[in-house]
Amino acid sequence: MYKTSFNGLKVLVEGVYSAYNLSPEELDSLKRYFGADKVNGSNGNYTVYRDAHRRIILELFVHEKWILINFDIRKDLLRLFNSNRIYTKDIETLSKKLKEMRIQLHVEYDYANNLWHIVDYDKFLELLKKLIDT
């Protein structure tokens, strides 16, 4: 078992693109290429959602190994926020609170599956819930 230091929460969004000042011909081309249902916007300014992947990354620095590891905790945070959306500002606020608390978690490495996991993850989720509710 290894002790870690909390290094932050980060919002990552992949597969979302912006296009500005499109002509009608460019808009038609964009819709043909990505599909009309993947294009949203108006007045020449559009956002394209193609295989959008949204993640909220928990970064931990592992003591003794001195490596950075990360976990995607977006699904758990959606549940804790009781919403299907999480705003970047909320994640930044939560990350700041955790950083100020100097949170340290314990992790273990599973050599059979080549994966890290957080020990007492449920207790960490309880802490997150308390911080979200305050």
Side-chain angles (χ1 to χ4, degrees):
M1 183 168 15
Y2 297 93
K3 184 169 68 170
T4 68
S5 292
F6 173 80
N7 267 242
L9 293 174
K10 294 186 179 180
V11 177
L12 296 178
V13 179
E14 299 170 339
V16 178
Y17 314 105
S18 297
Y20 305 106
N21 303 316
L22 296 184
S23 68
E25 294 80 20
E26 289 173 318
L27 177 59
D28 289 341
S29 173
L30 185 71
K31 286 181 178 180
R32 276 194 310 275
Y33 187 82
F34 289 100
D37 61 327
K38 304 282 187 197
V39 177
N40 189 12
S42 62
N43 299 324
N45 302 312
Y46 297 89
T47 301
V48 178
Y49 300 90
R50 180 181 194 177
D51 303 324
H53 298 285
R54 292 172 173 85
R55 295 181 284 167
I56 299 175
I57 302 300
L58 166 65
E59 290 186 334
L60 301 173
F61 191 56
V62 181
H63 296 205
E64 297 178 43
K65 294 283 187 186
W66 309 121
I67 59 172
L68 190 67
I69 61 174
N70 58 58
F71 301 90
D72 181 3
I73 62 169
R74 184 174 185 267
K75 288 181 183 177
D76 291 323
L77 286 174
L78 285 169
R79 186 175 45 79
L80 294 175
F81 275 99
N82 197 26
S83 176
N84 60 357
R85 286 186 169 180
I86 301 177
Y87 296 96
T88 301
K89 184 157 181 78
D90 293 333
I91 296 305
E92 290 169 351
T93 300
L94 186 58
S95 184
K96 183 178 177 182
K97 288 178 183 178
L98 290 167
K99 192 84 164 177
E100 288 170 353
M101 294 174 73
R102 298 183 180 184
I103 295 298
Q104 292 187 314
L105 301 174
H106 288 89
V107 295
E108 288 184 344
Y109 187 73
D110 179 356
Y111 288 94
N113 295 314
N114 200 28
L115 295 171
W116 290 94
H117 71 275
I118 299 171
V119 177
D120 292 330
Y121 185 64
D122 291 337
K123 287 184 182 179
F124 176 62
L125 292 179
E126 289 173 18
L127 172 64
L128 291 177
K129 182 63 177 160
K130 287 178 187 175
L131 293 174
I132 290 168
D133 290 345
T134 59

